[in-house]
Amino acid sequence: MRTTILGKTSPLTVSAIGLGCMGMVSAYPPIPEKKDMVRFAREALEKGETFFDTAEVYGPYTSEEILGEALADVRDQVQIATKFGFDIQNGISVGLDSRPETIRKAVEGSLRRLKTDYIDLLYQHRADPKVSVDAVAETVSRLMEEGKVLHWGMSEVSVRTIRKAHALLPLTAIQNEYSMWYCDAENELLSVLEELGIGLVCFCPLGRGYLTGSLKQAAFSAQDVRSGMPRFANEQALHANQDLLNLLQEQAAEKGCTMAQLALAWILSRRPWIVPIPGTTKTSRLEENMGAVDVTFTPADLHALDQKLEKIRIYGARYNMQQESMVEK
C-alpha cells in the first residue's frame, strides 16, 4: 500500500486508503461479533492498511475497544483517528457537546479504550453551536502540548469554521463525505483545503454500498442507518440513480477492475492529499478496496469520465432533516 501525506503545516503520513470502523459495531446490520472484528482489524494491518478511523460514539465505545485489542502491540505501525463531540448518556448519544471538559473526558476515554497514550488524529465530530471554535482549538492545543494528541481535524464543518480553526491551530485534515454520488466538496471545500494545505479524509466513498452495485432493493431493516436516508428510502430512489451505476459498470469493465475499485480510484485521482476510508467487515471487500490504488487514469480518461458524470443527475438527499441539522453550513 502506498502512502499519502495529510496536511502541510502539521503533516501526517497514512496509508492511501484507510479503514472506516463504524460498520464494525453499528449502522449496517447484521453486526459481527466483537472478537471477529478484532481479528479483522489486525488482518487489515497485515495486508497493508495502517490508517484506522473510529470515534467514541461508534458503538458507543466498542469500535475503539476493538482497535485497542487488535493494535496495541503494533501501535507504532498504525495511525489511529478518533473523534469527540457528542453527549453520550447511558450508552446513547443525546446531542452535541464540545465543551472543554467534555473533550477532555472523551480523549481520556479514547486513550484508555485504544490502549495507547496518544491519538494520531483527533477530530471534532460535529461543530457544537454552543461552544466557540476558540474554546475547542484551545482545549485541543493543550492536549497536544501534553502529548495526548498529535494532529487534529474537524468533520462536516463550514469553510468559515475551517479558516478560523486553522488560524488558531493548524488543521491536518477535514473529514467529509465525498464520492461519485455526493460531490458537494467540489463546490468550495477542495479549493480552500488546497489553499490552506489541509488534507481531506472521505467517509462513505462508496455511497454506503450503493456504488459497489451490490444493493438491489431498498428493503433495509429499521436498525440500518440507510432506512432513514432519502436516497435509500424507496425503490424509486435507487432505480432513479441507476444511470450512475451503469456508467460505473461500463468504466470498470474498460479498466478491468470492479465498480468499487473504480469509484475509489476516481477519488484518489482528484487530489494527492485525499484519503478515502471505506468501511467493511469482510476480507474480500477489504482486499478489493485496497486494489483501487492500482487503478490508474490518464488525463484523457479522467476528462472523459468527468464529462459523463456531469450529465448524470443524482436523486434523493443524502441525509434526513435530523441528520442534516448537525452539519454546519
Side-chain angles (χ1 to χ4, degrees), residues 187-218:
N187 295 337
E188 184 179 12
L189 180 65
L190 292 186
S191 61
V192 170
L193 297 185
E194 189 151 39
E195 172 196 338
L196 299 177
I198 303 171
L200 177 64
V201 176
C202 311
F203 68 84
C204 297
L206 296 176
R208 295 181 171 82
Y210 186 74
L211 301 182
T212 68
S214 61
L215 300 180
K216 304 303 181 184
Q217 42 78 37

mmCIF file of all heavy atoms in Angstrom, residues 187-218:
data_model
loop_
_atom_site.group_PDB
_atom_site.id
_atom_site.type_symbol
_atom_site.label_atom_id
_atom_site.label_comp_id
_atom_site.label_asym_id
_atom_site.label_seq_id
_atom_site.Cartn_x
_atom_site.Cartn_y
_atom_site.Cartn_z
ATOM 1 N N ASN A 187 -17.600 22.078 -4.672
ATOM 2 C CA ASN A 187 -18.146 23.424 -4.830
ATOM 3 C C ASN A 187 -17.195 24.497 -4.298
ATOM 4 O O ASN A 187 -17.008 25.529 -4.909
ATOM 5 C CB ASN A 187 -19.496 23.545 -4.125
ATOM 6 C CG ASN A 187 -20.557 22.648 -4.750
ATOM 7 O OD1 ASN A 187 -20.441 22.273 -5.913
ATOM 8 N ND2 ASN A 187 -21.573 22.294 -3.983
ATOM 9 N N GLU A 188 -16.614 24.259 -3.117
ATOM 10 C CA GLU A 188 -15.717 25.238 -2.499
ATOM 11 C C GLU A 188 -14.652 24.581 -1.623
ATOM 12 O O GLU A 188 -13.520 25.049 -1.549
ATOM 13 C CB GLU A 188 -16.529 26.226 -1.651
ATOM 14 C CG GLU A 188 -15.720 27.345 -1.050
ATOM 15 C CD GLU A 188 -16.549 28.320 -0.227
ATOM 16 O OE1 GLU A 188 -17.732 27.995 0.064
ATOM 17 O OE2 GLU A 188 -16.016 29.394 0.129
ATOM 18 N N LEU A 189 -15.017 23.488 -0.972
ATOM 19 C CA LEU A 189 -14.143 22.898 0.034
ATOM 20 C C LEU A 189 -12.776 22.525 -0.503
ATOM 21 O O LEU A 189 -11.738 22.839 0.107
ATOM 22 C CB LEU A 189 -14.816 21.670 0.658
ATOM 23 C CG LEU A 189 -13.994 20.955 1.731
ATOM 24 C CD1 LEU A 189 -13.794 21.849 2.950
ATOM 25 C CD2 LEU A 189 -14.677 19.651 2.137
ATOM 26 N N LEU A 190 -12.708 21.836 -1.626
ATOM 27 C CA LEU A 190 -11.423 21.361 -2.130
ATOM 28 C C LEU A 190 -10.455 22.517 -2.390
ATOM 29 O O LEU A 190 -9.267 22.426 -2.065
ATOM 30 C CB LEU A 190 -11.613 20.539 -3.403
ATOM 31 C CG LEU A 190 -12.324 19.185 -3.266
ATOM 32 C CD1 LEU A 190 -12.303 18.444 -4.599
ATOM 33 C CD2 LEU A 190 -11.683 18.330 -2.187
ATOM 34 N N SER A 191 -10.953 23.594 -2.957
ATOM 35 C CA SER A 191 -10.057 24.727 -3.248
ATOM 36 C C SER A 191 -9.553 25.378 -1.970
ATOM 37 O O SER A 191 -8.391 25.804 -1.894
ATOM 38 C CB SER A 191 -10.774 25.761 -4.128
ATOM 39 O OG SER A 191 -11.926 26.276 -3.474
ATOM 40 N N VAL A 192 -10.398 25.439 -0.941
ATOM 41 C CA VAL A 192 -9.980 26.020 0.342
ATOM 42 C C VAL A 192 -8.940 25.134 1.021
ATOM 43 O O VAL A 192 -7.941 25.614 1.554
ATOM 44 C CB VAL A 192 -11.199 26.247 1.258
ATOM 45 C CG1 VAL A 192 -10.758 26.623 2.673
ATOM 46 C CG2 VAL A 192 -12.092 27.335 0.684
ATOM 47 N N LEU A 193 -9.165 23.825 1.006
ATOM 48 C CA LEU A 193 -8.200 22.910 1.615
ATOM 49 C C LEU A 193 -6.862 22.976 0.890
ATOM 50 O O LEU A 193 -5.793 22.934 1.524
ATOM 51 C CB LEU A 193 -8.744 21.478 1.605
ATOM 52 C CG LEU A 193 -10.013 21.219 2.423
ATOM 53 C CD1 LEU A 193 -10.348 19.734 2.405
ATOM 54 C CD2 LEU A 193 -9.878 21.720 3.850
ATOM 55 N N GLU A 194 -6.905 23.093 -0.426
ATOM 56 C CA GLU A 194 -5.664 23.209 -1.189
ATOM 57 C C GLU A 194 -4.930 24.499 -0.820
ATOM 58 O O GLU A 194 -3.704 24.514 -0.637
ATOM 59 C CB GLU A 194 -5.958 23.174 -2.688
ATOM 60 C CG GLU A 194 -4.733 23.066 -3.554
ATOM 61 C CD GLU A 194 -5.008 22.347 -4.858
ATOM 62 O OE1 GLU A 194 -6.089 22.571 -5.435
ATOM 63 O OE2 GLU A 194 -4.141 21.574 -5.288
ATOM 64 N N GLU A 195 -5.667 25.577 -0.706
ATOM 65 C CA GLU A 195 -5.082 26.874 -0.328
ATOM 66 C C GLU A 195 -4.404 26.811 1.040
ATOM 67 O O GLU A 195 -3.302 27.334 1.227
ATOM 68 C CB GLU A 195 -6.195 27.928 -0.305
ATOM 69 C CG GLU A 195 -5.773 29.270 0.259
ATOM 70 C CD GLU A 195 -6.970 30.140 0.626
ATOM 71 O OE1 GLU A 195 -8.079 29.915 0.080
ATOM 72 O OE2 GLU A 195 -6.796 31.038 1.477
ATOM 73 N N LEU A 196 -5.063 26.147 1.997
ATOM 74 C CA LEU A 196 -4.576 26.125 3.369
ATOM 75 C C LEU A 196 -3.611 24.976 3.658
ATOM 76 O O LEU A 196 -2.969 24.956 4.706
ATOM 77 C CB LEU A 196 -5.766 26.038 4.333
ATOM 78 C CG LEU A 196 -6.767 27.201 4.278
ATOM 79 C CD1 LEU A 196 -7.925 26.944 5.240
ATOM 80 C CD2 LEU A 196 -6.087 28.526 4.587
ATOM 81 N N GLY A 197 -3.526 24.021 2.739
ATOM 82 C CA GLY A 197 -2.637 22.883 2.964
ATOM 83 C C GLY A 197 -3.185 21.886 3.966
ATOM 84 O O GLY A 197 -2.464 21.380 4.822
ATOM 85 N N ILE A 198 -4.480 21.605 3.857
ATOM 86 C CA ILE A 198 -5.164 20.669 4.750
ATOM 87 C C ILE A 198 -5.607 19.453 3.935
ATOM 88 O O ILE A 198 -6.103 19.597 2.817
ATOM 89 C CB ILE A 198 -6.401 21.321 5.404
ATOM 90 C CG1 ILE A 198 -5.991 22.585 6.168
ATOM 91 C CG2 ILE A 198 -7.114 20.340 6.334
ATOM 92 C CD1 ILE A 198 -7.181 23.419 6.656
ATOM 93 N N GLY A 199 -5.450 18.251 4.476
ATOM 94 C CA GLY A 199 -5.871 17.045 3.782
ATOM 95 C C GLY A 199 -7.362 16.802 3.912
ATOM 96 O O GLY A 199 -8.045 17.380 4.769
ATOM 97 N N LEU A 200 -7.890 15.927 3.064
ATOM 98 C CA LEU A 200 -9.295 15.540 3.109
ATOM 99 C C LEU A 200 -9.397 14.030 3.287
ATOM 100 O O LEU A 200 -8.804 13.263 2.523
ATOM 101 C CB LEU A 200 -10.029 15.949 1.830
ATOM 102 C CG LEU A 200 -11.504 15.531 1.741
ATOM 103 C CD1 LEU A 200 -12.342 16.203 2.827
ATOM 104 C CD2 LEU A 200 -12.075 15.840 0.360
ATOM 105 N N VAL A 201 -10.133 13.616 4.296
ATOM 106 C CA VAL A 201 -10.432 12.201 4.526
ATOM 107 C C VAL A 201 -11.905 12.000 4.190
ATOM 108 O O VAL A 201 -12.778 12.673 4.739
ATOM 109 C CB VAL A 201 -10.137 11.805 5.988
ATOM 110 C CG1 VAL A 201 -10.553 10.354 6.232
ATOM 111 C CG2 VAL A 201 -8.657 11.991 6.295
ATOM 112 N N CYS A 202 -12.173 11.078 3.264
ATOM 113 C CA CYS A 202 -13.534 10.901 2.743
ATOM 114 C C CYS A 202 -14.227 9.706 3.362
ATOM 115 O O CYS A 202 -13.799 8.562 3.168
ATOM 116 C CB CYS A 202 -13.516 10.684 1.237
ATOM 117 S SG CYS A 202 -12.539 11.883 0.358
ATOM 118 N N PHE A 203 -15.324 9.959 4.093
ATOM 119 C CA PHE A 203 -16.126 8.828 4.559
ATOM 120 C C PHE A 203 -17.219 8.531 3.533
ATOM 121 O O PHE A 203 -17.564 9.370 2.700
ATOM 122 C CB PHE A 203 -16.692 9.070 5.960
ATOM 123 C CG PHE A 203 -17.744 10.140 6.094
ATOM 124 C CD1 PHE A 203 -19.079 9.854 5.836
ATOM 125 C CD2 PHE A 203 -17.410 11.419 6.517
ATOM 126 C CE1 PHE A 203 -20.058 10.821 5.987
ATOM 127 C CE2 PHE A 203 -18.377 12.391 6.677
ATOM 128 C CZ PHE A 203 -19.716 12.100 6.404
ATOM 129 N N CYS A 204 -17.712 7.315 3.578
ATOM 130 C CA CYS A 204 -18.715 6.816 2.619
ATOM 131 C C CYS A 204 -18.293 7.038 1.160
ATOM 132 O O CYS A 204 -19.094 7.491 0.343
ATOM 133 C CB CYS A 204 -20.077 7.449 2.866
ATOM 134 S SG CYS A 204 -20.773 7.054 4.479
ATOM 135 N N PRO A 205 -17.055 6.701 0.797
ATOM 136 C CA PRO A 205 -16.616 6.911 -0.582
ATOM 137 C C PRO A 205 -17.298 5.967 -1.573
ATOM 138 O O PRO A 205 -17.222 6.196 -2.781
ATOM 139 C CB PRO A 205 -15.116 6.636 -0.502
ATOM 140 C CG PRO A 205 -14.978 5.650 0.614
ATOM 141 C CD PRO A 205 -16.003 6.075 1.619
ATOM 142 N N LEU A 206 -17.960 4.943 -1.050
ATOM 143 C CA LEU A 206 -18.705 4.015 -1.916
ATOM 144 C C LEU A 206 -20.209 4.198 -1.753
ATOM 145 O O LEU A 206 -20.999 3.290 -2.057
ATOM 146 C CB LEU A 206 -18.300 2.570 -1.607
ATOM 147 C CG LEU A 206 -16.834 2.248 -1.900
ATOM 148 C CD1 LEU A 206 -16.495 0.818 -1.484
ATOM 149 C CD2 LEU A 206 -16.521 2.451 -3.386
ATOM 150 N N GLY A 207 -20.611 5.378 -1.277
ATOM 151 C CA GLY A 207 -22.042 5.675 -1.194
ATOM 152 C C GLY A 207 -22.815 4.709 -0.330
ATOM 153 O O GLY A 207 -23.909 4.288 -0.689
ATOM 154 N N ARG A 208 -22.219 4.354 0.840
ATOM 155 C CA ARG A 208 -22.858 3.395 1.759
ATOM 156 C C ARG A 208 -23.232 2.095 1.052
ATOM 157 O O ARG A 208 -24.275 1.507 1.286
ATOM 158 C CB ARG A 208 -24.080 4.022 2.431
ATOM 159 C CG ARG A 208 -23.713 5.183 3.342
ATOM 160 C CD ARG A 208 -24.911 5.803 4.034
ATOM 161 N NE ARG A 208 -24.462 6.761 5.031
ATOM 162 C CZ ARG A 208 -24.104 8.020 4.769
ATOM 163 N NH1 ARG A 208 -24.161 8.465 3.524
ATOM 164 N NH2 ARG A 208 -23.692 8.824 5.719
ATOM 165 N N GLY A 209 -22.346 1.673 0.163
ATOM 166 C CA GLY A 209 -22.524 0.405 -0.532
ATOM 167 C C GLY A 209 -23.169 0.501 -1.891
ATOM 168 O O GLY A 209 -23.057 -0.420 -2.707
ATOM 169 N N TYR A 210 -23.821 1.622 -2.175
ATOM 170 C CA TYR A 210 -24.555 1.731 -3.441
ATOM 171 C C TYR A 210 -23.632 1.646 -4.651
ATOM 172 O O TYR A 210 -23.963 0.996 -5.656
ATOM 173 C CB TYR A 210 -25.345 3.044 -3.476
ATOM 174 C CG TYR A 210 -26.244 3.160 -4.685
ATOM 175 C CD1 TYR A 210 -27.417 2.420 -4.772
ATOM 176 C CD2 TYR A 210 -25.907 3.984 -5.755
ATOM 177 C CE1 TYR A 210 -28.235 2.511 -5.893
ATOM 178 C CE2 TYR A 210 -26.713 4.092 -6.871
ATOM 179 C CZ TYR A 210 -27.882 3.345 -6.936
ATOM 180 O OH TYR A 210 -28.688 3.433 -8.053
ATOM 181 N N LEU A 211 -22.470 2.276 -4.570
ATOM 182 C CA LEU A 211 -21.579 2.339 -5.732
ATOM 183 C C LEU A 211 -20.861 1.023 -6.012
ATOM 184 O O LEU A 211 -20.180 0.900 -7.026
ATOM 185 C CB LEU A 211 -20.561 3.459 -5.547
ATOM 186 C CG LEU A 211 -21.148 4.862 -5.364
ATOM 187 C CD1 LEU A 211 -20.040 5.901 -5.244
ATOM 188 C CD2 LEU A 211 -22.094 5.221 -6.509
ATOM 189 N N THR A 212 -21.027 0.044 -5.143
ATOM 190 C CA THR A 212 -20.473 -1.281 -5.426
ATOM 191 C C THR A 212 -21.342 -2.054 -6.405
ATOM 192 O O THR A 212 -20.914 -3.060 -6.962
ATOM 193 C CB THR A 212 -20.346 -2.111 -4.139
ATOM 194 O OG1 THR A 212 -21.664 -2.423 -3.640
ATOM 195 C CG2 THR A 212 -19.558 -1.365 -3.078
ATOM 196 N N GLY A 213 -22.590 -1.597 -6.566
ATOM 197 C CA GLY A 213 -23.528 -2.291 -7.432
ATOM 198 C C GLY A 213 -24.187 -3.494 -6.799
ATOM 199 O O GLY A 213 -24.927 -4.231 -7.458
ATOM 200 N N SER A 214 -23.956 -3.680 -5.493
ATOM 201 C CA SER A 214 -24.467 -4.883 -4.826
ATOM 202 C C SER A 214 -25.837 -4.690 -4.163
ATOM 203 O O SER A 214 -26.443 -5.658 -3.721
ATOM 204 C CB SER A 214 -23.469 -5.360 -3.766
ATOM 205 O OG SER A 214 -23.292 -4.365 -2.775
ATOM 206 N N LEU A 215 -26.317 -3.453 -4.089
ATOM 207 C CA LEU A 215 -27.632 -3.204 -3.472
ATOM 208 C C LEU A 215 -28.705 -3.270 -4.549
ATOM 209 O O LEU A 215 -28.751 -2.433 -5.447
ATOM 210 C CB LEU A 215 -27.656 -1.832 -2.789
ATOM 211 C CG LEU A 215 -26.634 -1.613 -1.680
ATOM 212 C CD1 LEU A 215 -26.777 -0.211 -1.104
ATOM 213 C CD2 LEU A 215 -26.783 -2.646 -0.578
ATOM 214 N N LYS A 216 -29.574 -4.242 -4.432
ATOM 215 C CA LYS A 216 -30.556 -4.473 -5.486
ATOM 216 C C LYS A 216 -31.940 -3.929 -5.159
ATOM 217 O O LYS A 216 -32.770 -3.737 -6.037
ATOM 218 C CB LYS A 216 -30.664 -5.977 -5.778
ATOM 219 C CG LYS A 216 -29.338 -6.631 -6.156
ATOM 220 C CD LYS A 216 -28.704 -5.953 -7.363
ATOM 221 C CE LYS A 216 -27.388 -6.612 -7.750
ATOM 222 N NZ LYS A 216 -26.705 -5.903 -8.852
ATOM 223 N N GLN A 217 -32.214 -3.682 -3.880
ATOM 224 C CA GLN A 217 -33.524 -3.168 -3.498
ATOM 225 C C GLN A 217 -33.407 -2.428 -2.169
ATOM 226 O O GLN A 217 -32.359 -2.408 -1.545
ATOM 227 C CB GLN A 217 -34.550 -4.311 -3.406
ATOM 228 C CG GLN A 217 -34.032 -5.581 -2.748
ATOM 229 C CD GLN A 217 -33.966 -5.523 -1.253
ATOM 230 O OE1 GLN A 217 -34.841 -4.930 -0.646
ATOM 231 N NE2 GLN A 217 -32.954 -6.115 -0.650
ATOM 232 N N ALA A 218 -34.510 -1.775 -1.765
ATOM 233 C CA ALA A 218 -34.466 -0.879 -0.615
ATOM 234 C C ALA A 218 -35.039 -1.491 0.650
ATOM 235 O O ALA A 218 -35.592 -0.784 1.484
ATOM 236 C CB ALA A 218 -35.208 0.411 -0.958
#
